[in-house]
Amino acid sequence: MSTATTATEVNAQSGVYVVRWNSVEDKPSPKQAPFVIRSVAGLEIARVSYRSVSSQDFLDYNNVALPVSWVQHVSQFFEIVVNLDTKTTSLRIDGTPVAGFQNVPFVNAAALDVGTIGAEFSGIDAGIIGWDNVSITKVAPSL
């Protein structure tokens, strides 16, 4: 597993954070390759996964298929806006908000803060993944 962590000076239980990364899947048929945002306590906030089923490629958000897919060897830019005040997340891919995946409730409503973004590829065939430009940034204080 590879992770990026929120800097301690910006840890808070309110406000808005943006989690960003670029990733690419280089194998034609991964079973699942998840990137997971977790709280400091390890509670799941949101997840984006690459997967293939019967030669069809899917991107999932919190285990729901997106209307956007992935293409082998093509990098995509992911941004997840995490609003700690409303306990919701919003997904953008390549700068475009994904319809139907804005203001989505946290996977675990008990999450209080943003702790890590991790490539959690254990016990599955994640394929061959590359990811870089990973960051977690606080962009707005609590209202």
Side-chain angles (χ1 to χ4, degrees):
M1 180 169 77
S2 177
T3 62
T5 305
T6 306
T8 56
E9 64 270 12
V10 296
N11 277 350
Q13 295 182 355
S14 63
V16 177
Y17 288 76
V18 179
V19 180
R20 297 177 176 98
W21 75 92
N22 287 86
S23 57
V24 61
E25 174 61 72
D26 207 42
K27 185 176 179 181
S29 58
K31 290 181 183 164
Q32 189 179 64
F35 295 88
V36 183
I37 300 172
R38 294 190 180 277
S39 70
V40 172
L43 302 175
E44 187 170 329
I45 294 171
R47 127 183 344 238
V48 172
S49 301
Y50 291 85
R51 69 180 171 95
S52 289
V53 177
S54 301
S55 300
Q56 288 188 288
D57 299 327
F58 298 93
L59 282 173
D60 293 343
Y61 191 62
N62 300 342
N63 298 315
V64 176
L66 293 169
V68 177
S69 187
W70 62 274
V71 176
Q72 185 182 12
H73 313 303
V74 177
S75 178
Q76 290 170 294
F77 178 56
F78 295 89
E79 296 175 285
I80 298 177
V81 177
V82 179
N83 188 321
L84 295 174
D85 300 316
T86 61
K87 292 189 178 264
T88 60
T89 63
S90 297
L91 176 65
R92 294 188 296 237
I93 299 176
D94 294 328
T96 301
V98 179
F101 295 87
Q102 305 301 299
N103 302 308
V104 176
F106 285 5
V107 171
N108 187 329
L112 299 174
D113 46 28
V114 177
T116 62
I117 172 71
E120 298 186 2
F121 307 150
S122 61
I124 58 170
D125 180 5
I128 302 168
I129 293 281
W131 74 318
D132 62 3
N133 301 320
V134 183
S135 67
I136 301 172
T137 309
K138 186 168 187 176
V139 295
S142 179
L143 299 174

